[in-house]
Amino acid sequence: MTYSVEQSLEDQLWMRHALRLAQRAENQGEVPIGAVLVKDDKLIAEGWNSPIADNDPTAHAEINTLRAAGKAINNYRLIDTTLYVTLEPCVMCMGAIVHARVKRLVFGAFDTKRGAVCNAINLCEADFLNHAVIWQGGVLETECAELLKNFFLAKR
């Protein structure tokens, strides 16, 4: 398990990119979550929430990004990659992240009710899985959390 309050400039840069994608989701009426997959400091794929637009309950930002990455590199194994996402992933997304063999996960806001990294359940290091994901939460946490908070306040 990795959790550190220290945030590298590189992590902040990629999380800002994910935040811009989250804003794109919000502009389309979706819950504002964005994700970016990086390997060797290069963007492999990006995505944002689109379950409403796609009529697809699995079209979370992470899933959309992993799908695009697999097509981009012509492989479903995403070895030695880092996934940046603005919110702690859910159980479905963590399952996909583990199965894709993503090396490192960096997220912004913690999801205390449904987060599957370190809150509701911890799938990064589950003994029954054959891959452990290194993770860091809280990168640009305030910005990521505020985007979600403001989105839901506007909906009420």
Side-chain angles (χ1 to χ4, degrees):
M1 174 171 127
T2 301
Y3 176 70
S4 170
V5 293
E6 185 177 324
Q7 300 177 21
S8 75
L9 292 176
E10 180 181 357
D11 286 348
Q12 290 180 31
L13 172 83
W14 289 115
M15 189 61 71
R16 289 193 193 291
H17 187 115
L19 273 164
R20 288 190 296 275
L21 297 169
Q23 290 167 336
R24 185 180 294 182
E26 181 177 34
N27 292 341
Q28 296 172 358
E30 305 278 0
V31 175
I33 300 171
V36 176
L37 189 78
V38 175
K39 183 173 182 174
D40 300 324
D41 300 322
K42 294 182 180 139
L43 178 68
I44 302 298
E46 61 186 26
W48 54 91
N49 267 11
S50 63
I52 298 167
D54 294 345
N55 295 309
D56 180 355
T58 69
H60 289 194
E62 301 94 323
I63 301 295
N64 289 338
T65 302
L66 295 176
R67 285 179 179 151
K71 289 178 183 175
I73 67 169
N74 201 31
N75 194 335
Y76 72 105
R77 296 280 193 231
L78 306 173
I79 308 295
D80 294 326
T81 58
T82 299
L83 180 67
Y84 294 88
V85 62
T86 56
L87 180 66
E88 179 180 353
C90 70
V91 171
M92 175 186 70
C93 292
M94 274 310 303
I97 291 164
V98 168
H99 287 294
R101 305 296 194 273
V102 170
K103 181 177 184 176
R104 182 169 176 251
L105 168 68
V106 179
F107 63 87
F110 290 85
D111 187 342
T112 57
K113 293 182 182 177
R114 290 169 289 285
V117 175
C118 60
N119 278 291
I121 190 170
N122 179 346
L123 291 180
C124 283
E125 299 173 356
D127 291 338
F128 61 88
L129 296 173
N130 61 354
H131 176 69
V133 177
I134 299 165
W135 67 274
Q136 179 172 352
V139 174
L140 301 183
E141 180 179 5
T142 301
E143 294 92 326
C144 294
E146 285 294 316
L147 184 61
L148 286 160
K149 177 183 166 190
N150 292 337
F151 173 80
F152 287 111
L153 282 174
K155 291 283 185 190
R156 294 186 180 119

